[in-house]
Amino acid sequence: MSLRQVYQRPAAELIGCADCGLVQLLPPVPPDAIAECVRCKRPFAAPARGSIDTALALTVTALLLLLPAALLPLMRLTSFGVQRRDWLPSGTEALWNDGYDSLSVVVFLFSIALPFVYLGLMVCVLGGIRFGIDARLGKLFRWTAALRPWVMIEVYLVGCCVAYTRLESVGTVNVGAGGWCLLAATLAAVLASLKLDEQSVWDALPPHQSLSAPKLPISCETCELMIDAAREHSACARCGARIRRRKPDAIRRTLALVIAGYLLYLPANLLPVLSIERFGRDQPSTILGGVHELITAGLWPLAIIVFTASVVVPLIKLFGLSLMLVMTRLRSRRWLVGRTRMYRFIDRIGRWSNIDVFMISILAALLQFGTLTSLRPQPGAMAFAAVVVITMLASRSFDARVMWDAPGSAA
Ligand SMILES: [Zn+2]
Ligand SMILES: [Zn+2]
């Protein structure tokens, strides 16, 4: 069943752009075409993109594969005549035992708990649309969409790959059944999200349009339903979110979080994130030290991935958001389209910085051979995870529409 059968868009539809706030009339879009905002070039969902059946089947597959991925060993490391196994929850346990409780909770949430909750909710929403059950699906999908940036199963998988290559210098590493299931679950989840975009799911949920034609239309920031401005602060008829013209205190909240991000970026990169004890000698290593180790081992592609994700991405986020805050304060009209695109990019890439945090949790679980070779996480890892979470919160709390309002150019 394609979305065209679930919901047929009317000939022309009033749409409020989530990135620049411009309310515009969207003409009928031919199949396989994607309309974009006339002002900021944000792509809107195509009329009949995606298939509920395929997305539902892939999401159910991902959820079913995640169970063995959590219960079976991800990898085995044989070194010094001893074999150690790593399960999905082992990293959380290792961090907890080393006294890094909050880091352990962060890894548990992003790698195990939230992927299960997200996929479970997604199955309920897609199943509900497929079988015509309407009860509270809008509210359920609002929670699902809010969880999406914090579900880091694919980031965890890359963390596993980096850990795998680093462990190869210590002993023989084998991928376990859980590792293959995790790979398959991730592929299924990514394919499901490629098959069906978020806006198409909103389009399939009623009401498709505001019940009465809005005189002064504003759009719900979650599901983009057009509602009359007089109903601001009431609950959205589709997703239940509180209707607001703009995110409250967007500038002040983002500014506070960006400053906190800068303050934590220094200890995150200067303090060691892990230390390896070999034959009684401690070798602390920073984020950049880890990149250097990958280069000396000749693993250039991995070194580039880790350097980009851990060093460059947090800096792009902090500098990018700073630039947006300053230019909004100066009421500048310059590069509005470019800045909006940059905001979209920053909001999407934030989660990838967590590769190193996941890698440390896996190494902390596997590299435990007593005085021969043992790995302990170090305080830098805490600061680093805090930078990732705080910069993600900063980009989430920013509202790109405020940039367009500032020069007084909002339509
Ligand atoms: Zn726009
Ligand atoms: Zn809504």
Side-chain angles (χ1 to χ4, degrees):
M1 182 167 68
S2 81
L3 275 177
R4 186 171 280 276
Q5 287 160 274
V6 179
Y7 166 57
Q8 180 82 51
R9 268 180 195 258
E13 189 176 12
L14 202 58
I15 272 198
C17 175
D19 281 356
C20 72
L22 182 74
V23 175
Q24 55 211 284
L25 204 59
L26 183 72
V29 183
D32 305 323
I34 296 174
E36 56 179 28
C37 169
V38 289
R39 188 160 73 167
C40 74
K41 312 295 174 210
R42 171 182 186 256
F44 293 130
R49 196 161 145 210
S51 144
I52 290 279
D53 285 353
T54 321
L56 178 60
L58 284 166
T59 312
V60 171
T61 311
L63 185 61
L64 291 177
L65 283 167
L66 208 55
L67 268 175
L71 297 174
L72 299 172
L74 293 180
M75 32 179 147
R76 282 183 292 270
L77 170 69
T78 317
S79 191
F80 308 107
V82 182
Q83 192 186 68
R84 289 196 59 88
R85 290 182 193 186
D86 175 51
W87 280 266
L88 197 54
S90 313
T92 304
E93 197 189 333
L95 292 172
W96 187 274
N97 292 340
D98 277 322
Y100 288 88
D101 308 6
S102 43
L103 197 59
S104 155
V105 171
V106 164
V107 170
F108 174 75
L109 282 177
F110 294 166
S111 65
I112 308 171
L114 295 185
F116 270 109
V117 176
Y118 171 79
L119 289 171
L121 285 173
M122 201 65 187
V123 168
C124 294
V125 172
L126 295 179
I129 297 173
R130 175 65 182 84
F131 299 106
I133 309 159
D134 264 352
R136 291 177 177 270
L137 283 188
K139 207 175 248 181
L140 216 55
F141 191 56
R142 170 158 65 92
W143 297 335
T144 317
L147 281 184
R148 181 67 193 101
W150 307 96
V151 176
M152 301 192 189
I153 172 174
E154 61 274 53
V155 185
Y156 189 85
L157 191 69
V158 179
C160 285
C161 296
V162 181
Y164 178 95
T165 4
R166 287 187 77 158
L167 287 168
E168 276 189 315
S169 62
V170 182
T172 318
V173 203
N174 298 104
V175 179
W180 295 116
C181 289
L182 183 70
L183 175 70
T186 310
L187 281 178
V190 170
L191 269 177
S193 65
L194 290 178
K195 280 281 163 202
L196 195 66
D197 63 320
E198 198 176 292
Q199 195 52 45
S200 301
V201 179
W202 283 125
D203 285 347
L205 294 171
H208 306 301
Q209 277 282 279
S210 184
L211 301 173
S212 57
K215 284 192 202 89
L216 183 64
I218 53 171
S219 70
C220 166
E221 70 183 44
T222 308
C223 73
E224 297 180 26
L225 183 73
M226 296 308 297
I227 291 162
D228 197 280
R231 289 193 51 214
E232 198 184 353
H233 304 301
S234 63
C236 169
R238 180 155 65 185
C239 72
R242 178 115 69 98
I243 303 290
R244 299 175 300 195
R245 269 171 219 264
R246 301 292 179 256
K247 289 180 190 170
D249 289 328
I251 298 288
R252 260 185 291 172
R253 279 184 204 201
T254 313
L255 180 66
L257 289 163
V258 165
I259 292 172
Y262 276 120
L263 291 177
L264 283 161
Y265 187 81
L266 282 177
N269 283 277
L270 296 177
L271 292 178
V273 287
L274 54 89
S275 106
I276 298 176
E277 188 193 333
R278 281 197 187 101
F279 306 107
R281 265 190 61 211
D282 243 358
Q283 290 174 301
S285 165
T286 57
I287 293 273
L288 276 174
V291 176
H292 186 248
E293 267 176 48
L294 289 172
I295 294 173
T296 20
L299 301 162
W300 276 97
L302 268 185
I304 292 170
I305 292 175
V306 173
F307 180 75
T308 312
S310 309
V311 183
V312 182
V313 167
L315 272 186
I316 291 181
K317 285 195 286 184
L318 288 172
F319 285 149
L321 287 171
S322 308
L323 180 82
M324 285 167 211
L325 289 172
V326 170
M327 293 188 80
T328 309
R329 182 88 183 101
L330 294 175
R331 299 183 175 277
S332 168
R333 283 173 194 272
R334 282 192 171 199
W335 315 314
L336 272 170
V337 174
R339 273 190 271 154
T340 311
R341 278 195 185 141
M342 189 180 189
Y343 172 68
R344 273 201 294 270
F345 177 70
I346 283 177
D347 198 36
R348 273 188 207 145
I349 53 162
R351 19 204 316 278
W352 287 95
S353 303
N354 239 357
I355 292 176
D356 256 348
V357 175
F358 291 142
M359 181 209 67
I360 293 165
S361 76
I362 296 163
L363 292 184
L366 271 173
L367 265 186
Q368 295 303 337
F369 297 100
T371 47
L372 297 173
T373 297
S374 290
L375 183 139
R376 299 256 170 281
Q378 295 296 310
M382 286 280 292
F384 186 78
V387 170
V388 179
V389 173
I390 282 175
T391 48
M392 280 181 72
L393 287 174
S395 69
R396 297 263 95 197
S397 60
F398 189 68
D399 191 333
R401 293 170 295 185
V402 178
M403 295 194 288
W404 292 85
D405 297 345
S409 60

